[in-house]
Amino acid sequence: MKLFTRRNKTEPKGTQVVLRIEGMHCTSCGLLIDDELEDLPGVRSAATDVRAGRSVVLLEEGADVDSAVLVAAVEAAGDYTAHPAG
C-alpha cells in the first residue's frame, strides 16, 4: 500500500513572463492579482511577490498571450500599475 505519491519535479513547460507591479501593499493585493491573471486563457499560474514588486506568470505550452493583456488584468485587479520586466 502506497501512502504517498512523489510529484514530478521537472519544470513545467511553458513561457514565463515577469511583470513589475507598483501599488501593492499586502498579501491580499498579491492574491487578487494572482486570481485575475489565472482567470486569463492561456495562463497556467501566477506567483506574485509583494515585497519584490513583481509577478511571475507561467503560460501554458504553446499559448500566445500578449503582455498587454497581462498588464490589463493586473490593473483591473485594483489600483496597481504594471509593465513587463526587462
Side-chain angles (χ1 to χ4, degrees), residues 30-49:
L31 294 173
L32 287 170
I33 291 169
D34 287 347
D35 286 346
E36 285 290 327
L37 290 168
E38 290 174 351
D39 282 345
L40 295 174
V43 173
R44 176 177 288 169
S45 66
T48 302
D49 185 338

Side-chain angles (χ1 to χ4, degrees), residues 17 40-43 59 63-70:
V17 178
L40 295 174
V43 173
L59 303 178
D64 185 24
V65 180
D66 190 2
S67 60
V69 172
L70 300 174

Side-chain angles (χ1 to χ4, degrees), residues 14-83:
T15 305
Q16 282 189 353
V17 178
V18 179
L19 301 174
R20 301 292 304 161
I21 303 171
E22 297 173 7
M24 296 185 293
H25 303 288
C26 63
T27 304
S28 293
C29 293
L31 294 173
L32 287 170
I33 291 169
D34 287 347
D35 286 346
E36 285 290 327
L37 290 168
E38 290 174 351
D39 282 345
L40 295 174
V43 173
R44 176 177 288 169
S45 66
T48 302
D49 185 338
V50 175
R51 287 186 177 187
R54 71 181 190 141
S55 184
V56 178
V57 182
L58 180 62
L59 303 178
E60 293 175 359
E61 188 175 7
D64 185 24
V65 180
D66 190 2
S67 60
V69 172
L70 300 174
V71 167
V74 169
E75 293 177 352
D79 193 21
Y80 310 113
T81 304
H83 58 278

